[in-house]
Amino acid sequence: MPANMAPSSAEILRFLPEIILAVMGTFIMVLDPLVRGKSPKIFGHISILAMLAAIGASIFAYTNPGPAFSGMLMVDGFATFFRVLVLGVGILAVLSSYRFLDRERADTGEYHALILFSLVGQCVMVTANELIMIFIGLEISSIATYVLAGYLRDDKRANEAALKYFLLGSFATAFLLYGVAIIYGITGTTNLSAIRAVLSNTTTAPAGAVVGAAVALMFVGLAFKVSGAPFQIWAPDVYQGAPTPVTAFMSAGPKAAAFAVFLRIFMTAFETVGTGWEPLVWVSALLSMTIGNFAALVQQNIKRMLAYSSIAHAGYVLVALAARSEIGTAAAMFYLAAYAMMNVGAFAVVAHLSGKGERRLSLNDFAGLGVKQPLTAALLTIFLLSFIGVPLTGGFFGKFYIFKAALQSNLVWLTVLGLLNSAVAAYYYLRILVVMYMHEPGEATLAVEPLSFGLSAALILPAIGTFVLGIFPSALLQFADKSSIFGR
Amino acid sequence: MAPITTGHYLGLSAALLLIGVAGVLTRRSIVVVLMSIELILNAVNINLIAFSSNSQNVRGQIFAMFIIADAVAEAAVGLGILIALFRNKDTVLADEVDLLKW
């Protein structure tokens, strides 16, 4: 323990993105009573500026990477990648929220403050190199997201979604904590690198059964957070009931952050006991892909279908984790970036179409969208093709790298079953395309309003990103490759 | 009489964990489910403090304080969500909250 506990200026710079977000979130809450009702859009502008500043700060922090606050945080390529990713998701979510908040006559100040606070938590999660910090980041992010899920207080579906999310989320956190407590007990530390050192030393390594129990408990907690089967039960209900822009946000941002924690804990601290946890991840990956894809086949509600599809995509990322290699980690990072863009984009289209009170959410409400709004339909088509994994989209290379990593780690069966699953998934994505282009415009598509500026930005930016990742994947992949060794 | 050892604390903690999990899984009232989750968090705290005192390492106690603070924040948000639900649906029973399902 250093005698001088005051953080150096380099450490504060490494923590600057979180500082900006927290200060701006608090600033919005202070400003809220002063300008309430007069100019509701100002809060959205402020939060977008705050997130852009935080992205700049994250990139700046990476020019001088290293640990901060006695090794509690570790600013490395991996952390920077995920910081920029979750902040980008935040910007897209805010862009798609302007019209929604206006339409539902909801308070804007609290909404944007909560998004910023949730992002603080996610940034702490992806940077933390220490189980206490991971826990704190996870809770900052989760508690803000629980509130966001129930943001429309008078909507019964939103109430129910928030309640289910809260109960199962805090139950999962409790499990995670119990695992953490056991790890602390047997290793005497909560620092990931130190845990790795204890577990890999054969003379000091604690009993395998105890380590196994702790790892299994932490796996349960994290699998809940990333909606991996068999702990995915909450996801469809919550994604369906929550306001659509919030669903877009929480199915991409907190999920990517939870995966970052998953990768960091399991690939640094627990890497040396990998043969023990690989079967757990293997089974969970297969179950997530299968349950997600087959349940999505029969859904009529578009949000619920996308929720099941997001469970299936969590399964693909778990395949990359099961590969237990640096290539697997890099593939997971690439996939999460591609997934974040297509998922936010697809939910933004749903938010655009659903109308006041989110009444128009069934598959048939997309009928004839290709005729009425060719641009919206074309953008949704890009996202759906990327979901399927068609070449020239980010989704294609994401799947390609994941299955390549799995094959290199001799997970032949998992790869085969994963590819079969992708074929099944194509069916329900194509079904949306068929309804959109082949059917006559229905009541819902005729009533749809023109695209607002914020929503067009929230659709066009991820569409461009999807193409960039699909045509020039190497730049991002090289960065992911370089970052996949973490700071260790 | 035998002295109380770390093992006793771990046993108590494991018992609290089981009671908490059973409560979450079987009780109908959401308030009791919330209380059961708090029970699990307290089981974690007992574990951490027992380990901390066993290994003469203060980190576990600091962690326990963070968990206590977090549990309070979580309970505040949880009860807020529950009140919003109660205003709209007039129930706090988990099995009557069933609008969303497949």
Side-chain angles (χ1 to χ4, degrees):
Chain A
M1 196 62 62
N4 178 15
M5 294 292 286
S8 69
S9 57
E11 287 178 321
I12 290 178
L13 275 184
R14 288 180 192 136
F15 194 56
L16 194 59
E18 287 84 353
I19 296 177
I20 293 175
L21 292 170
V23 168
M24 293 308 269
T26 317
F27 175 66
I28 288 181
M29 297 207 73
V30 174
L31 199 63
D32 187 26
L34 301 177
V35 294
R36 172 175 296 241
K38 279 177 229 153
S39 49
K41 287 194 174 158
I42 183 98
F43 300 112
H45 303 332
I46 295 177
S47 68
I48 286 182
L49 282 179
M51 287 184 274
L52 286 174
I55 288 182
S58 313
I59 295 169
F60 180 68
Y62 186 55
T63 56
N64 182 15
F69 307 126
S70 316
M72 290 234 162
L73 300 177
M74 176 62 89
V75 176
D76 49 16
F78 185 80
T80 308
F81 179 94
F82 277 104
R83 268 178 172 173
V84 174
L85 178 59
V86 295
L87 289 165
V89 168
I91 290 178
L92 294 177
V94 168
L95 283 173
S96 62
S97 304
Y98 281 115
R99 182 74 195 105
F100 158 80
L101 291 168
D102 187 31
R103 194 175 66 201
E104 307 292 338
R105 300 186 190 291
D107 287 337
T108 52
E110 290 165 22
Y111 182 89
H112 293 296
L114 283 168
I115 293 234
L116 290 185
F117 291 144
S118 177
L119 285 169
V120 174
Q122 289 160 37
C123 287
V124 171
M125 274 164 87
V126 302
T127 321
N129 194 34
E130 218 266 349
L131 292 170
I132 300 180
M133 284 310 280
I134 286 177
F135 159 70
I136 293 170
L138 186 68
E139 281 303 289
I140 296 175
S141 157
S142 302
I143 289 180
T145 322
Y146 299 150
V147 182
L148 280 174
Y151 198 72
L152 299 178
R153 268 192 305 265
D154 300 326
D155 183 348
K156 284 182 189 171
R157 289 174 303 174
N159 291 151
E160 186 174 334
L163 184 75
K164 284 179 173 167
Y165 194 26
F166 167 74
L167 285 179
L168 291 172
S170 43
F171 191 42
T173 311
F175 268 97
L176 178 76
L177 280 175
Y178 208 89
V180 171
I182 296 176
I183 285 290
Y184 168 69
I186 55 182
T187 63
T189 177
T190 49
N191 185 292
L192 295 182
S193 319
I195 293 171
R196 177 190 173 86
V198 175
L199 291 183
S200 57
N201 185 333
T202 42
T203 52
T204 59
V210 187
V211 180
V215 172
L217 282 166
M218 288 175 70
F219 175 80
V220 171
L222 288 171
F224 254 111
K225 295 286 174 191
V226 301
S227 71
F231 311 105
Q232 89 294 6
I233 309 288
W234 59 274
D237 287 358
V238 174
Y239 288 5
Q240 184 190 347
T244 312
V246 174
T247 311
F249 177 67
M250 71 186 180
S251 62
K255 197 167 183 162
F259 262 119
V261 167
F262 219 138
L263 288 165
R264 204 189 270 273
I265 295 181
F266 279 68
M267 291 303 292
T268 60
F270 297 156
E271 198 196 6
T272 48
V273 291
T275 42
W277 54 258
E278 191 195 297
L280 280 180
V281 180
W282 199 101
V283 170
S284 177
L286 180 60
L287 281 177
S288 310
M289 290 189 291
T290 316
I291 295 176
N293 283 326
F294 279 89
L297 287 180
V298 295
Q299 299 304 325
Q300 286 301 321
N301 183 299
I302 194 80
K303 272 167 97 178
R304 218 173 165 76
M305 180 192 283
L306 287 175
Y308 278 111
S309 114
S310 103
I311 294 171
H313 287 280
Y316 299 129
V317 183
L318 286 171
V319 171
L321 178 62
R324 286 199 294 127
S325 62
E326 277 155 24
I327 307 170
T329 308
M333 289 162 75
F334 186 92
Y335 196 84
L336 284 168
Y339 163 79
M341 280 190 272
M342 54 203 184
N343 206 48
V344 175
F347 273 114
V349 174
V350 177
H352 169 56
L353 221 70
S354 58
K356 186 164 167 53
E358 305 209 328
R359 275 187 298 271
R360 299 195 289 266
L361 286 172
S362 99
L363 185 58
N364 292 330
D365 291 336
F366 281 76
L369 188 67
V371 183
K372 289 301 295 179
Q373 290 205 344
L375 177 66
T376 317
L379 291 167
L380 181 59
T381 308
I382 294 170
F383 302 132
L384 292 175
L385 291 179
S386 182
F387 272 133
I388 299 173
V390 173
L392 291 184
T393 61
F396 169 75
F397 278 109
K399 280 208 179 76
F400 176 75
Y401 292 134
I402 281 182
F403 289 125
K404 194 174 115 190
L407 278 179
Q408 282 185 355
S409 302
N410 289 320
L411 299 171
V412 179
W413 275 106
L414 195 56
T415 309
V416 171
L417 293 167
L419 288 174
L420 286 177
N421 254 298
S422 313
V424 173
Y427 173 76
Y428 60 84
Y429 295 128
L430 290 176
R431 207 164 62 140
I432 304 180
L433 286 185
V434 169
V435 171
M436 204 159 67
Y437 282 109
M438 311 282 186
H439 289 198
E440 290 297 309
E443 190 188 341
T445 6
L446 290 173
V448 76
E449 56 194 32
L451 267 182
S452 64
F453 175 74
L455 265 170
S456 348
L459 289 178
I460 290 170
L461 289 177
I464 293 173
T466 303
F467 273 129
V468 169
L469 287 188
I471 299 171
F472 310 107
S474 52
L476 188 73
L477 192 74
Q478 268 166 14
F479 185 78
D481 259 332
K482 205 172 64 176
S483 315
S484 61
I485 53 162
F486 304 96
R488 69 170 189 250
Chain B
M1 217 168 114
I4 297 176
T5 62
T6 309
H8 291 93
Y9 286 112
L10 299 189
L12 171 66
S13 159
L16 280 179
L17 171 75
L18 289 180
I19 296 170
V21 171
V24 171
L25 296 180
T26 58
R27 297 308 290 258
R28 286 180 69 209
S29 167
I30 295 166
V31 180
V32 181
V33 173
L34 260 172
M35 287 157 62
S36 305
I37 292 174
E38 298 290 311
L39 216 51
I40 304 178
L41 290 177
N42 283 326
V44 175
N45 283 341
I46 291 175
N47 247 348
L48 283 171
I49 292 166
F51 284 134
S52 170
S53 111
N54 185 43
S55 60
Q56 296 294 307
N57 171 335
V58 77
R59 210 171 259 254
Q61 297 182 30
I62 296 170
F63 199 166
M65 280 196 266
F66 276 117
I67 293 180
I68 294 169
D70 168 74
V72 174
E74 220 171 50
V77 167
L79 290 174
I81 292 172
L82 191 57
I83 288 172
L85 178 90
F86 183 72
R87 280 198 182 143
N88 281 337
K89 287 201 69 158
D90 252 339
T91 178
V92 290
L93 298 180
D95 49 1
E96 290 176 12
V97 184
D98 55 0
L99 231 53
L100 304 164
K101 57 182 157 194
W102 50 350

